[in-house]
């Protein structure tokens, strides 16, 4: 019992894998919350301009260098070496952000062989994300063989949505097969709800705006609707993702352009959104620079994005019967005053006043650590 108790108080490694990045944090329990020992990220994974950096508990950089990684697993090996160099203890547990668990995995939980089997069987629900998650889990199990591994599912937060929000207008058999709105960015939204705690008002809208973007409507602290759907491709337009489209567009591409499933998937996830409208750029900061230089395509791309966010905020205000709090988070939400201003323009007439708008950095890695610690304490008391 003493051994298990000591493990529950040890450092947890939280891994947040993206399409070309691996964010991470090592956390110990503090007086009131998980406290970071090290945080950082490997960026540009799979590219020739990658980087790797680590910050200490007080936010000061302790390692920063150019580093080419072929995969998230490759980046994890670099991280493991850095952990051995810069900390005195090995993680007692590893938490993974898993974007999609399919229809049967939707609670944060310890990873067992059965969980891995269910993840493999759900690959068709998220073919871009689940194989990558499985590879990283396998790498972490190999590098940290004595540490239990935990899966924190990005759609878990949205399990509270009523069927009116999750049920697509398709025949019932498809809903029964798991074709429904799952929603994502749930760990980010959990971290925001934790940030506000009891001060979170009854009617809130969270906007996670980054390369992947979504919004969530909350009533009494729980998700009642969100913009992403069956996959993270749905919802508002994003950096390289199309967001929602008229289904007729898909039929046209299938019939007239003769696109196969793989080509269509690549088009909708990697060649659409801001990237498509601006003719080749998805980074909002760069697009804002192009707007200042008079680039009309960049201006159109940002306008489409901001107006899509504005329309969704308005829709959620109607759903909630007003709004008490609007929170912007994510890289764009936190750092682009231009997008925030354009996304809220005119909504004061509907009751969205400036004092109701806040900017709160997302803390996904810390939230993963919180959830893992809770599961550990309940599993290994």
């Amino acid at each position: 019992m003493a051994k298990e108790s000591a493990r529950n108080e040890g450092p947890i490694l939280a891994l947040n894998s993206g399409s070309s990045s691996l964010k991470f944090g090592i956390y110990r329990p503090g007086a009131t919350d998980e406290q970071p020992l090290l945080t950082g990220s490997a960026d540009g994974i799979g590219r020739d301009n990658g980087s790797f950096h680590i910050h200490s508990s007080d936010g000061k950089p302790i390692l920063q260098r150019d580093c080419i990684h072929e995969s998230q697993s490759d980046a994890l090996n670099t991280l493991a070496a850095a952990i051995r160099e810069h900390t005195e203890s090995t993680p007692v547990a590893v938490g993974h952000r898993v974007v999609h668990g399919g229809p049967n995995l939707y609670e944060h939980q310890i990873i067992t062989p059965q969980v891995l089997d269910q993840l493999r069987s759900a690959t068709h629900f998220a073919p871009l994300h689940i194989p990558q998650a499985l590879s990283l889990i396998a790498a972490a199990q190999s590098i940290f063989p004595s540490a239990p591994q935990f899966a924190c599912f990005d759609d878990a937060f949205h399990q509270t949505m009523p069927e009116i929000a999750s049920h697509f207008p398709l025949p019932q058999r498809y809903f029964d097969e798991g074709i429904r709105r799952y929603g994502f960015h749930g760990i980010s939204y959990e971290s925001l709800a934790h940030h506000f705690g009891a001060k979170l008002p009854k009617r809130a809208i969270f906007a996670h705006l980054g390369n992947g973007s979504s919004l969530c409507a909350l009533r009494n602290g729980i998700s009642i609707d969100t913009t992403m759907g069956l996959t993270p491709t749905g919802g508002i337009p994003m950096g390289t993702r199309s967001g929602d489209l008229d289904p007729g567009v898909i039929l046209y591409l299938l019939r007239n352009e003769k696109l196969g499933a793989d080509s269509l998937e690549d088009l909708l996830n990697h060649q659409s959104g801001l990237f498509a409208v601006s003719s080749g750029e998805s980074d909002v900061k760069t697009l804002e620079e192009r707007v200042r230089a008079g680039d009309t395509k960049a201006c159109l791309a940002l306008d489409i994005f901001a107006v899509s966010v504005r329309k969704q905020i308005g829709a959620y205000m109607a759903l909630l019967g007003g709004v008490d709090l609007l929170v912007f988070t994510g890289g764009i939400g936190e750092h682009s005053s231009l997008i925030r201003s354009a996304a809220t323009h005119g909504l004061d007439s509907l009751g969205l006043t400036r004092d109701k708008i806040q900017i709160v950095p997302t803390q996904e890695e810390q939230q993963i650590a919180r959830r893992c610690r809770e599961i550990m304490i309940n599993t290994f008391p």
Side-chain angles (χ1 to χ4, degrees):
M1 295 293 288
K3 182 179 178 181
E4 300 293 357
S5 178
R7 176 168 64 178
N8 291 347
E9 296 175 0
I12 292 176
L13 171 61
L15 300 176
N16 183 355
S17 176
S19 58
S20 62
S21 67
L22 179 64
K23 298 177 183 177
F24 55 83
I26 301 177
Y27 296 87
R28 277 192 181 276
T32 59
D33 201 357
E34 295 293 325
Q35 299 299 317
L37 293 176
L38 297 176
T39 59
S41 68
D43 299 302
I45 295 174
R47 303 171 186 168
D48 59 6
N49 61 343
S51 63
F52 183 80
H53 63 86
I54 297 178
H55 293 84
S56 62
S57 58
D58 57 4
K60 294 180 180 178
I62 58 176
L63 177 64
Q64 186 160 350
R65 66 172 185 259
D66 295 335
C67 198
I68 297 176
H69 295 112
E70 297 298 326
S71 66
Q72 271 78 11
S73 299
D74 189 20
L76 182 59
N77 279 304
T78 300
L79 170 58
I83 291 173
R84 289 191 292 269
E85 181 180 352
H86 295 283
T87 67
E88 298 179 353
S89 55
T90 301
V92 298
V94 181
H96 300 261
R97 171 178 169 259
V98 180
V99 171
H100 206 315
N104 299 315
L105 294 173
Y106 44 81
E107 293 182 352
H108 308 320
Q109 58 193 280
I110 192 168
I111 297 174
T112 64
Q114 292 74 26
V115 168
L116 291 175
D117 286 343
Q118 287 183 298
L119 265 179
R120 293 186 191 101
S121 67
T123 296
H124 56 285
F125 283 94
L128 298 178
H129 298 92
I130 293 178
Q132 179 176 284
L134 287 168
S135 295
L136 188 61
I137 290 168
Q141 289 176 325
S142 176
I143 295 170
F144 306 105
S146 63
Q149 311 273 321
F150 297 88
C152 293
F153 293 102
D154 223 13
D155 56 344
F157 184 72
H158 303 295
Q159 295 302 311
T160 55
M161 289 192 303
E163 192 170 339
I164 194 172
S166 64
H167 199 135
F168 292 132
L170 293 170
Q172 180 66 34
R173 67 180 182 274
Y174 295 112
F175 183 83
D176 295 340
E177 292 173 9
I179 306 301
R180 61 179 180 84
R181 183 180 306 280
Y182 288 88
F184 304 96
H185 288 139
I187 297 172
S188 175
Y189 294 141
E190 279 189 26
S191 79
L192 295 179
H194 182 274
H195 170 82
F196 288 100
K199 295 182 179 179
L200 183 65
K202 180 179 179 180
R203 304 170 300 179
I205 300 171
F206 292 165
H208 181 114
L209 307 182
N211 189 53
S213 297
S214 71
L215 292 91
C216 177
L218 298 92
R219 179 176 287 122
N220 296 322
I222 67 172
S223 171
I224 64 167
D225 206 343
T226 190
T227 54
M228 285 180 169
L230 174 71
T231 73
T233 309
I236 61 173
M238 302 170 228
T240 62
R241 301 176 215 168
S242 65
D244 290 344
L245 292 173
D246 174 354
V249 174
I250 309 300
L251 295 174
Y252 176 89
L253 295 171
L254 289 170
R255 289 173 175 161
N256 295 70
E257 297 294 321
K258 309 300 182 185
L259 294 185
D262 291 343
S263 297
L264 189 58
E265 185 173 65
D266 181 63
L267 171 66
L268 299 180
N269 282 289
H270 303 300
Q271 301 179 45
S272 299
L274 297 176
F275 180 85
V277 179
S278 68
S279 299
E281 182 56 67
S282 62
D283 180 72
V284 165
K285 185 177 180 179
T286 303
L287 288 171
E288 289 180 358
E289 293 172 356
R290 285 173 49 177
V291 167
R292 289 189 286 270
D295 188 319
T296 57
K297 289 183 178 179
C299 185
L300 178 62
L302 293 185
D303 282 347
I304 288 174
F305 178 70
V307 170
S308 296
V309 176
R310 188 195 312 164
K311 288 161 68 176
Q312 199 60 57
I313 293 171
Y316 282 163
M317 290 175 68
L319 180 65
L320 291 165
V323 65
D324 305 307
L325 175 68
L326 168 64
V327 180
F328 286 105
T329 194
I332 299 170
E334 293 170 32
H335 302 297
S336 176
S337 59
L338 178 69
I339 293 298
R340 291 195 304 270
S341 177
T344 55
H345 178 72
L347 293 179
D348 54 336
S349 62
L350 301 179
L352 179 62
T353 53
R354 183 173 297 182
D355 62 300
K356 295 180 180 179
I357 302 172
Q358 292 193 35
I359 303 165
V360 180
T362 185
Q363 298 289 346
E364 290 176 297
E365 295 79 51
Q366 188 177 35
Q367 186 64 25
I368 291 170
R370 292 184 188 115
R371 288 302 192 184
C372 290
R373 188 83 62 191
E374 290 173 4
I375 300 171
M376 287 175 64
I377 290 172
N378 290 331
T379 305
F380 313 116

